[in-house]
Amino acid sequence: MFLQFAVTEPPMSSARAYPPRSLGWVRITHVCRYWRAVALANPLLWSKVVVSLGARWLETSLHRAQRTPLTIEQPSSALVRSCTVEKVLPAILRLLERIQTVYFDRSAEHGVTLYSFLLEAAPALESLHLSTNDNSS
């Protein structure tokens, strides 16, 4: 049940606030002590890392994901600041051996920064989704 909720209700940045206002599936950790304990102890719930949620979210997710394969997601959003991307990219590069899936949907202005991780080996990588919205023309 928790894993399905994590798929249908991801945490996300709000249009008016940064960091996120919508906790998404993380709200289940606020229902009761038992549900919190179950959610915090389930590494699969924490294995999807949304870069736009910042360095603190990244570190928390990585700690709770333990050694599970990771999905790294960078959604297209005006709220994603280049400083956020630059803060989390070194941590992502350190985890290349665990990254199984990558989704980067970004504007061309941040493309070089985000795609620089492609220069390194990623032995667990099974799926790579890259898209760019180049509005310069």
Side-chain angles (χ1 to χ4, degrees):
M1 176 176 81
F2 288 0
L3 292 174
Q4 182 60 37
F5 193 49
V7 170
T8 60
E9 293 287 331
M12 62 184 63
S13 299
S14 165
R16 301 193 198 300
Y18 195 89
R21 288 278 173 106
S22 173
L23 293 175
W25 69 264
V26 178
R27 293 178 306 202
I28 63 175
T29 66
H30 301 173
V31 173
C32 67
R33 287 184 208 177
Y34 179 73
W35 279 28
R36 180 174 179 78
V38 169
L40 294 181
N42 186 335
L44 290 176
L45 284 173
W46 301 96
S47 63
K48 181 178 180 184
V49 179
V50 181
V51 175
S52 62
L53 298 177
R56 185 172 172 195
W57 176 263
L58 175 76
E59 292 302 323
T60 299
S61 294
L62 295 176
H63 174 72
R64 292 180 179 160
Q66 299 170 16
R67 297 294 305 157
T68 59
L70 300 171
T71 295
I72 306 295
E73 181 177 303
Q74 176 58 66
S76 178
S77 169
L79 290 172
V80 179
R81 303 173 187 166
S82 61
C83 62
T84 299
V85 173
E86 290 169 6
K87 284 181 184 176
V88 300
L89 194 58
I92 292 170
L93 290 173
R94 287 191 308 268
L95 300 166
L96 284 175
E97 75 282 352
R98 291 178 51 202
I99 296 176
Q100 189 172 36
T101 306
V102 175
Y103 296 95
F104 278 161
D105 180 10
R106 293 295 305 130
S107 64
E109 65 193 65
H110 298 301
V112 173
T113 303
L114 291 174
Y115 302 151
S116 65
F117 80 95
L118 293 174
L119 300 174
E120 304 293 330
L125 189 64
E126 294 179 0
S127 182
L128 176 65
H129 306 268
L130 305 173
S131 74
T132 298
N133 181 14
D134 186 358
N135 293 326
S136 62
S137 54

